[in-house]
Amino acid sequence: QPFYLALASRIMIFAIAAVSLDLLLGYGGLISFGHAAYIGLGAYAVAILNFYEFESGWLHLPVAIFGSALVAAVIGAFSLRTGGLYFIMITLAFTQMLFFLGISLEEYGGDDGINTTRSVFGEWLDLNDRSTFYYFILFFLAVCTAIAWRLVNSRFGMVIRGSHSNEARMEAIGYPVFRYRLIAFILSGAMCGVAGFLLANLTEFVTPEFMHWFRSGEIMIMVLLGGMGTVFGPILGTAVYLLLEDVLSGLTQHWWIIFGPMLVIIILFAKKGLWGLLPGREDMSDD
């Protein structure tokens, strides 16, 4: 049914964003409050190219990926030279700069947003067909999850984990921690750009709200809810968060009053997230 296909598609898109954030937050210990920026950049790549009548998805997708990666490289080059609270505030500041830049672009709708159409990949891949589009998103979720799994279990991933545990020791034994973290930051931004590309195709509407700091907070909640430092935990957390949002918002517009205490209880008593509560998941650090 269309409603369930749309809901499942939305869950998978934000699951990609959550998995990308977990590469930094869960494995690298980098609390990025600016991940929504890459969703917005990926989405605007579709909308702006469509605005100029470039409708090919073969153009939209690489522009979304490499555009997000380029911006992530710039943001990462500045923010990774700091740490702790300063890192959080710098990533937040960059996101808000891009948010207000989106508002100022009156040609592309400004604060009101801009309508767009779905990317065209040819007759054999019609994204206007709901089922085809569903499997299209599922394919990207599978690819991004596989990439994340491979990264965190590679030597590269071990360096990122080690820099989270003891940055000074990793530098002392000769690893260029800054370079590794910057690469992880770029890969995470590029992956989140894919989520933005898919979101623009799902909603067929792009707005600067995609880049608002609150959206970054939502993605972080999805990671915390599912379990940091796992590959599949953020996917579970995204599904639970969006399903609860759908159910609770139907009961009251103040659904956060109900969800907030639930989130606090989960964080206090299930520090490894919902994924850690599943049988056989006592040690999530190897996931």
Side-chain angles (χ1 to χ4, degrees), residues 38-105:
Y38 312 117
I39 292 181
L41 289 168
Y44 268 103
V46 176
I48 293 176
L49 287 172
N50 266 328
F51 181 81
Y52 291 107
E53 300 183 357
F54 294 102
E55 300 178 346
S56 174
W58 301 110
L59 177 62
H60 295 173
L61 182 57
V63 170
I65 293 174
F66 290 109
S68 299
L70 179 61
V71 173
V74 174
I75 295 176
F78 285 98
S79 59
L80 288 172
R81 299 182 186 278
T82 64
L85 180 62
Y86 301 103
F87 178 83
I88 298 172
M89 296 308 296
I90 288 178
T91 55
L92 174 61
F94 272 112
T95 301
Q96 289 303 96
M97 286 168 58
L98 290 171
F99 168 71
F100 286 111
L101 175 63
I103 290 177
S104 67
L105 297 176

Side-chain angles (χ1 to χ4, degrees), residues 22 75 83 140 149 194 235 239 263 272 282:
D22 193 45
I75 295 176
F140 278 103
W149 175 274
V194 173
I235 300 175
L263 179 64
K272 295 182 178 181
E282 289 82 5

